[in-house]
Amino acid sequence: MGPSSDRVGRVGVHGVALLVVGELGWKFREQHESDWGIDAIIEVADEDQPTSRLIALQIKCGDARLDRLHRDGRWPLYGEKRHLMRWLEYPIPVVVVLYDPTRRTAYWQHVNDRTAAWTPAGFRIDVPESQPLDAAASATLRAVAEQWVPQRGTSRSRALHALATCTAASVPVPPTEQLWTLFARGADTNLRAAVHAFGLPLIGEAPAVHLLAGAHTPITLSMDDRGLWSVPPGTTVFVCENLGIIDVAAAVLGTDCRPLVCLGGFPSLATEYLLIGLGACGARLRVHVDHDTVGRQITDSLFVRSVPFETWRPIGQDCQGMLGEEEECLPAMLADLAGEPTTIDSSKA
């Protein structure tokens, strides 16, 4: 965070503090070491007496943010998956506050599994203009503090935690209709989400098994290609970010190409379902992305670490990627996909 951003952040924290103390008459305690995006803790007070009822705040600030994001009486804000999962499990409720330094006003939204929506890269939450942080918000915010029960995540995040626990205990969890229902629930448009794969040795009764068998080009799978499936024990699946990689691998290596899945950027619902299923039934996942900020964000967001995966060809290990683009690493990646020795002459890369 640069000096300018830091100043904006400080203005937001101090502005919200004045509203909490002046408008609500409550206690405000800044978190000087922000933990999981929590900037402050406020405590409900009755006639200046603390009540031990607490709310955690994440504070956003800035004129540009307010002008740019305002849509239909609300501001859409975005965050990381790991933050949402943590906040849903927090022992006290988390409220996002958007502060306008020009008007010295703020607006808020309680983070829960009804107000926050998952996105491929993280989550989105709308802060409504109808919820200003002022004296009129006292009763509603008091109820938030009094009625909060840690949710241990949404049904989806609880399932991901269960998968992580089973994986750690070496308990196989083959993909099932229940896993598909979990991912598709309440998201009809997501049924059209697709994932590109080549050479996956799926076994079972799912339509995807027959689509992939003997295919000479990458296959596009959708959430409709579901059913019971798994992979043989010890299967290694390589994962790339860009479609150009999987197309070249299929053209150059043909059916000799080792199993390959393409993220296509931030993973779609179908991509996440496939990779979590592969990891849950014992496949070794090796992931390669662009060597840049977006690439790091992609790997940070993958499955919220519910299944283990390895970095495939990090920069510096015969994978140059000096410009950040995955295509720069293509020669080394093709060698891995062909099953050749992994040491490549970098002068030829």
Side-chain angles (χ1 to χ4, degrees):
M1 178 181 292
S4 178
S5 297
D6 185 62
R7 282 195 297 272
V8 171
R10 302 303 304 155
V11 167
V13 169
H14 289 293
V16 171
L18 288 173
L19 291 173
V20 169
V21 175
E23 291 283 332
L24 298 174
W26 294 356
K27 309 297 183 181
F28 183 96
R29 303 184 184 95
E30 182 180 355
Q31 296 288 94
H32 293 285
E33 293 184 5
S34 182
D35 178 30
W36 291 91
I38 301 302
D39 298 304
I41 303 293
I42 61 175
E43 181 175 6
V44 178
D46 290 329
E47 297 182 354
D48 205 38
Q49 295 301 309
T51 64
S52 298
R53 295 186 177 92
L54 306 176
I55 297 175
L57 302 184
Q58 191 198 47
I59 300 169
K60 303 289 188 182
C61 177
D63 296 324
R65 179 188 299 276
L66 284 154
D67 293 339
R68 184 176 68 252
L69 297 181
H70 191 240
R71 298 287 187 278
D72 302 322
R74 60 176 62 93
W75 292 272
L77 301 181
Y78 298 86
E80 300 179 37
K81 289 182 181 180
R82 63 191 182 96
H83 282 166
L84 177 57
M85 294 185 70
R86 173 71 170 178
W87 292 347
L88 292 173
E89 298 178 354
Y90 231 54
I92 62 176
V94 176
V95 166
V96 175
V97 179
L98 182 56
Y99 182 71
D100 180 347
T102 300
R103 299 174 181 84
R104 298 182 182 179
T105 57
Y107 306 88
W108 65 274
Q109 179 62 282
H110 178 209
V111 179
N112 56 55
D113 59 1
R114 297 181 302 281
T115 60
W118 294 98
T119 68
F123 75 95
R124 165 183 165 161
I125 189 166
D126 289 337
V127 178
E129 194 173 25
S130 60
Q131 290 187 175
L133 186 66
D134 56 21
S138 176
T140 306
L141 285 171
R142 181 185 294 266
V144 167
E146 292 176 346
Q147 298 171 13
W148 174 250
V149 175
Q151 299 171 38
R152 302 307 173 203
T154 62
S155 59
R156 178 176 181 272
S157 64
R158 287 195 297 271
L160 296 183
H161 278 304
L163 284 172
T165 301
C166 291
T167 300
S170 299
V171 176
V173 185
T176 62
E177 185 74 10
Q178 288 77 17
L179 180 63
W180 177 87
T181 301
L182 171 71
F183 273 75
R185 181 182 296 136
D188 294 338
T189 56
N190 283 328
L191 297 181
R192 295 192 294 271
V195 54
H196 302 276
F198 184 63
L200 280 183
L202 299 190
I203 54 178
E205 61 184 32
V209 174
H210 306 291
L211 289 171
L212 286 162
H216 295 278
T217 58
I219 298 298
T220 301
L221 304 174
S222 73
M223 292 297 288
D224 281 332
D225 298 317
R226 65 189 188 276
L228 189 63
W229 56 270
S230 62
V231 292
T235 298
T236 296
V237 177
F238 293 82
V239 182
C240 65
E241 179 184 343
N242 300 296
L243 288 172
I245 301 296
I246 195 171
D247 289 336
V248 172
V252 173
L253 301 176
T255 54
D256 291 329
C257 183
R258 301 175 74 183
L260 182 60
V261 173
C262 182
L263 295 173
F266 283 101
S268 69
L269 194 73
T271 308
E272 191 168 14
Y273 166 75
L274 174 63
L275 293 178
I276 284 178
L278 288 168
C281 62
R284 175 190 179 194
L285 300 178
R286 301 187 63 190
V287 179
H288 190 287
V289 295
D290 287 342
H291 299 296
D292 57 15
T293 300
V294 174
R296 289 190 293 273
Q297 291 173 343
I298 290 173
T299 53
D300 287 344
S301 73
L302 282 178
F303 341 123
V304 199
R305 302 283 174 171
S306 56
V307 296
F309 62 90
E310 306 167 24
T311 300
W312 172 25
R313 290 281 181 176
I315 189 167
Q317 293 187 8
D318 300 316
C319 189
Q320 301 307 309
M322 300 308 294
L323 299 178
E325 297 179 357
E326 188 175 40
E327 287 76 7
E328 297 174 273
C329 305
L330 183 57
M333 295 171 72
L334 288 176
D336 291 337
L337 292 170
E340 297 175 5
T342 58
T343 299
I344 304 296
D345 183 352
S346 60
S347 66
K348 299 179 181 178

